[in-house]
Amino acid sequence: TGQTNITESVGDDFTPVWSPDGNRLAFGSNRDGNFEVYVMNADGSGQRNLSNNVFTDSKPVWSPDGSYIAFDSNRAGSLDVYVVKADGTAVSGVTGFTAQNFAQAWSPDGKQILFNSSRDGDAEIYVVDADGSNLANLTNDPGGDFFPLWSPDGSKILFLSARDMINEVYVMNADGTGQVRFTTSLGGNFDAVWSPPDGDRLAFRSLRDGNNEIYVANANGSGLTNLTNNPAGDEDPVWSPNGDQIAFASDRNGNLDIFVMSANGSGQKNLTQSPGRDSDHSWR
């Protein structure tokens, strides 16, 4: 209920993400003829172009204190990670402009940024200080490692890896040591996310039962449970801030809609019903 359109533009507006205080939204838009990163107030007012560049800028991610936004840009020739203050000033590149760099994630203390890079010939996971210093390679496997995400306390990092000839979820220490496979299945595993507030569970999408389902397991790998158990495709789990609910996308109504359920899989409810595709959901 209460669905409101807060952007009206001649282009497409996509991938909105809430600021940590819930007062602002960052999002991508091509309303000016190319993809840019914008920010606005929660009611849609104060819309402002932060990246303001003729090249492609996308995928904004807020720093934990809301003072900075990291985003992808190809303005230097390759896809790189940049950081800009939330007021649009002080844009700087942090990944070195040497190869494709993308899929950034802030550390919980806001001091470091994780990202993917192909600078060594295959996809690996790197970490760098938010000012671009102290770059370090955390994974080194020819199979390819992708989409890193910090645990809420910053001590662990989960990521996807194709090193076993199929996508599996891995977990490692924040310094890259102790890499262990979290999932084992005949199908692929994707969209893995830590539960808030303490990261004691992981939710992820898996094809192990022949179609896309949302699963949850304890952080030690025990208690694996299929939450959605539906013949349609379910994907992209997103925890509520208190960890009590999970939002996800499903095509069980014939097209992709947003659903929500309790963290144990009960009470599944369709939130959007439209003839188009609804996705890229996030909690405030």
Side-chain angles (χ1 to χ4, degrees), residues 12 31 59 69 101 158 161 174 186 233 252:
D12 294 321
R31 62 181 67 182
K59 296 183 175 61
I69 294 173
N101 305 282
L158 68 77
S161 180
L186 298 177
R252 60 185 68 182

Side-chain angles (χ1 to χ4, degrees), residues 110-231:
K111 295 181 179 180
Q112 294 178 296
I113 296 175
L114 288 170
F115 65 97
N116 270 117
S117 180
S118 60
R119 63 187 63 201
D120 291 329
D122 57 83
E124 301 288 357
I125 294 169
Y126 287 75
V127 65
V128 65
D129 288 352
D131 63 2
S133 63
N134 297 318
L135 177 73
N137 181 356
L138 297 184
T139 65
N140 189 13
D141 191 279
D145 303 312
F146 308 91
F147 304 118
L149 189 64
W150 300 90
S151 62
D153 66 1
S155 66
K156 302 284 186 180
I157 296 168
L158 68 77
F159 61 98
L160 297 183
S161 180
R163 62 183 67 180
D164 302 304
M165 305 302 292
I166 194 168
N167 268 8
E168 298 282 6
V169 180
Y170 275 73
V171 176
M172 63 181 170
N173 297 323
D175 62 1
T177 62
Q179 297 179 26
V180 294
R181 190 171 66 184
F182 182 82
T183 60
T184 301
S185 73
L186 298 177
N189 301 277
F190 313 87
D191 304 339
V193 284
W194 299 97
S195 67
D198 51 15
D200 61 345
R201 292 168 292 172
L202 283 170
F204 59 96
R205 169 170 61 99
S206 180
L207 283 161
R208 64 187 62 208
D209 291 329
N211 58 288
N212 283 311
E213 302 279 9
I214 306 300
Y215 285 77
V216 69
N218 296 322
N220 62 8
S222 66
L224 179 68
T225 304
N226 181 345
L227 297 185
T228 49
N229 199 22
N230 190 285

